[in-house]
Amino acid sequence: MRRSLLFIPADTPGMMQHADVFDADAIIFDLEDAVLPDEKDAALTLLDHYLQSFPLAATEIIIRINPMDSPYAARDIKGVVCDQIDTILLPKADLKSLKKLDQTISKIESDQHMTKPIKVIALIETPAAVLDAALIAQAPRVDGLLLGGEDLATALEVERTSEGMEIFLARSLIVLAAKAHGIDAIDTPYVNSRDLEGLAADARRARGLGLNAKACIHPNQVETVNVSFSPTPEDIAYAQKIILAQKTHDKGVFAVDGKMVDAPVIKRAERLLEKARHWKLVKP
Amino acid sequence: MKTGVAGSVASHDCLITVRPHDRLEIIIESIVHAQFGKQIEHVINETLRELGIRKLYVHINDRGALDYAIKARLITAIKRLEETNA
């Protein structure tokens, strides 16, 4: 269950070895944009030795590799796919690159007798990928779609704004594609790491559309994102009332606090309480 | 002179320079030399032993790097030296 996914450059030992103190649900060690071409070899070797030295059992470990059509991808995959990681984040994802990635990972999993399957998050950052989101969501291993707002804006030849209208449709399509196939809809990072009020407003808009998590580019964004994508105490109290009332009603439809409650509302309340328990916002 | 360099002088990192030499020589500069100088030398020696290298000049400018970072930076520096020689 993800709310916050924190990017950490894979060539920064100082940040990497403190990764588990930031309270992010997932850490994305970045081999792509955060690492200069001349340092790709050093980052991969550093990440390999880091993963062997620092077990992060409570945090999902995600590796953003370089795009499949780059000269670095094959080496990245060979270097990082192991039982110490959970997920690969694939940039410039499309159906062809996802298929190739799946085949490559499958061979390594088989050769190394790995104990758990590696998941994939597809980074949706081109107009074509947005239009193909529903198909990408069904690709092997994919358990999340992450919107890459900056690259998408570049491709659309628009400026990113604080209101985010330029990515409204992309966010909505990603939500529909992800939710139709039961996987995570993850929002693009908010790039001004000093503006926490702007981040909170951006996260509210994303959550309002149905996105359930958000990438972070700075540790100081994690708490705001976690709060924004967690149920509030009021949400939890109301959901508990619904579940309690359900036990005392023998009808499919009843009222709580004057509001109609039926099966979809009960299901939403159950899901909300499941999240609240997972994130230890209520007692189990 | 051909050299291989890897790492940085950022906090918790180290900058390692290697070059061909007629013997093994390890020069350590570290902000924590008094406490960890011997451990740094041990990591370098162990890594070179694993790689089967007996002769090399190794200079490390350490900014508080942990063992994994020292080892990774040394391996990268040696690979880069080998690529220079190739």
Side-chain angles (χ1 to χ4, degrees), chain A residues 11 13-14 16-18 38-39 41-43 45-46 49-50 53-54, chain B residues 6-7 11-13 64 66 68-69 71-73 75-76 79-80 83:
Chain A
D11 63 349
M16 293 164 73
Q17 59 212 39
H18 296 108
D38 285 351
E39 292 298 322
D41 59 336
T45 304
L46 185 71
H49 285 83
Y50 168 84
S53 307
F54 282 82
Chain B
S11 181
H12 301 288
D13 203 349
L66 298 182
Y68 82 93
K71 185 171 184 177
R73 297 314 196 188
I75 289 170
T76 301
K79 278 185 186 167
R80 288 176 175 177
E83 284 163 10

Side-chain angles (χ1 to χ4, degrees), chain B residues 21-35:
Chain B
H21 206 34
D22 58 2
R23 58 194 161 86
L24 180 61
E25 184 177 359
I26 300 170
I27 309 293
I28 299 171
E29 285 180 51
S30 174
I31 57 170
V32 289
H33 197 290
Q35 302 95 323

Side-chain angles (χ1 to χ4, degrees), chain A residues 140-186:
Chain A
R141 300 176 188 275
V142 172
D143 83 334
L145 305 179
L146 195 166
L147 174 63
E150 297 303 313
D151 281 271
L152 183 63
T154 301
L156 296 175
E157 299 182 64
V158 295
E159 292 297 319
R160 292 282 282 114
T161 65
S162 55
E163 294 77 21
M165 277 306 293
E166 68 284 354
I167 57 168
F168 167 76
L169 182 58
R171 276 173 160 168
S172 300
L173 288 172
I174 282 172
V175 168
L176 291 172
K179 301 303 173 186
H181 299 287
I183 63 173
D184 282 338
I186 307 163

Side-chain angles (χ1 to χ4, degrees), chain A residues 3-5 186-188 190 199 202-203 213-216 225 229:
Chain A
R3 295 166 297 180
S4 53
L5 301 87
I186 307 163
D187 197 32
T188 189
Y190 187 73
L199 170 64
D202 192 50
K214 190 170 180 65
C216 304
V225 167
F229 287 91

Side-chain angles (χ1 to χ4, degrees), chain B residues 27-57:
Chain B
I27 309 293
I28 299 171
E29 285 180 51
S30 174
I31 57 170
V32 289
H33 197 290
Q35 302 95 323
F36 296 108
K38 286 197 184 305
Q39 176 62 16
I40 294 168
E41 187 175 1
H42 173 73
V43 172
I44 292 171
N45 274 318
E46 275 298 296
T47 306
L48 294 175
R49 190 185 58 76
E50 287 170 18
L51 296 171
I53 295 172
R54 292 179 179 178
K55 296 176 184 178
L56 193 68
Y57 172 88

